[in-house]
Amino acid sequence: MKNVIISPSILSADFANLERDIKLVENAGADWLHIDVMDGHFVPNITIGVPVVKSIKKVTNLPLDVHLMIENPEKYIEAFANAGADILTFHYEAVNNVESIVKMIKSAGIKAGMSIKPKTPAKAILQYLDIIDLLLVMTVEPGFGGQKFMDDCAQKIPLIKENAPENLIIQVDGGINAETARICTNYGANSLVAGNYIYKSGDISYAISSLRN
Ligand code: DX5
Ligand code: ZN
């Protein structure tokens, strides 16, 4: 069994039965819970915000892996940290000053993640790998679940891995299933986000264990 962090995305859960659907992945062995925050500006979709994260925190022991697909993320760091985020991931393309936002997240006492969209090359962010805890490589255009995995995005991982400190978490998100998970872990990813594959599989335990192996 590989040492990979599985983070199911609740974007594919039933929002009217969110607690039930969170328990399902928690009981099936998920490591983290991936929460997609979208603002209708950075991406063309709107999902959930601070109050929902706060409520989720009350019903799960899983670390909350919060993926901010929003403009001006610096305005919301404190609020998400107070709501219970354990890892807060912003988009490189949404900020002017990476160092200052990383500092803000770390001062809130939580892990700092940074994400890159498909068109952002790995070489643009190599200089930041030493200051972040997690680098999220998007393997679809952010905004929606259920899209097709883009292999050319995952091909950024080897260069990132080569330049990363030993303890950097390299996460992938978008179109992850048992087959694309293997491609990504072979490239060097050690954290997998999956929404549709887990929640629409019909067998959540099997889906999670198939990502791990
Ligand atoms: C997409 C989100 C993903 C999404 C993944 O913008 O960041 O976390 O939920 O969904 P799947 O696994 O269905 O591609
Ligand atoms: Zn996500």
Side-chain angles (χ1 to χ4, degrees), residues 25 39 68 82 89 92 117 145 152 161:
V25 293
D39 67 352
L68 299 179
N82 289 340
T89 298
Y92 168 70
K117 288 166 74 170
D152 53 329
K161 178 118 183 117

Side-chain angles (χ1 to χ4, degrees), residues 9 11-12 34 36 38 67 69 138 140-147 173-176 193-197:
S9 167
L11 193 57
S12 300
H34 187 81
D36 288 302
M38 307 187 190
H67 179 191
M69 285 160 276
M138 288 304 299
V140 298
E141 278 301 335
F144 300 91
Q147 301 182 79
D173 181 7
I176 299 300
V193 174
N196 250 41
Y197 178 65

Side-chain angles (χ1 to χ4, degrees), residues 4-8 65 170-173 176-177 180-182 184-185 189-194 198 211-212:
V4 53
I5 299 164
I6 311 287
S7 193
D65 167 28
I170 302 175
Q171 186 178 59
V172 286
D173 181 7
I176 299 300
N177 56 39
T180 58
R182 196 170 327 111
C184 293
T185 52
N190 56 2
S191 176
L192 306 165
V193 174
I198 290 176
L211 289 174
R212 240 184 247 292

Side-chain angles (χ1 to χ4, degrees), residues 93-198:
E93 301 84 0
V95 301
N96 294 318
N97 189 331
V98 170
E99 282 94 349
S100 83
I101 191 152
V102 168
K103 206 180 268 177
M104 285 171 75
I105 297 173
K106 288 187 172 174
S107 334
I110 57 176
K111 282 191 162 58
M114 183 168 79
S115 181
I116 53 171
K117 288 166 74 170
K119 291 195 185 72
T120 301
K123 64 177 191 312
I125 53 88
L126 296 179
Q127 60 185 301
Y128 303 116
L129 298 178
D130 285 330
I131 61 167
I132 55 178
D133 299 299
L134 176 150
L135 193 274
L136 167 53
V137 177
M138 288 304 299
T139 43
V140 298
E141 278 301 335
F144 300 91
Q147 301 182 79
K148 194 172 178 297
F149 174 80
M150 293 156 80
D151 190 77
D152 53 329
C153 297
Q155 287 171 21
K156 296 172 192 174
I157 297 170
L159 182 63
I160 290 165
K161 178 118 183 117
E162 244 170 66
N163 288 275
E166 187 76 19
N167 57 352
L168 181 76
I169 298 166
I170 302 175
Q171 186 178 59
V172 286
D173 181 7
I176 299 300
N177 56 39
E179 188 190 330
T180 58
R182 196 170 327 111
I183 294 171
C184 293
T185 52
N186 284 340
Y187 281 138
N190 56 2
S191 176
L192 306 165
V193 174
N196 250 41
Y197 178 65
I198 290 176

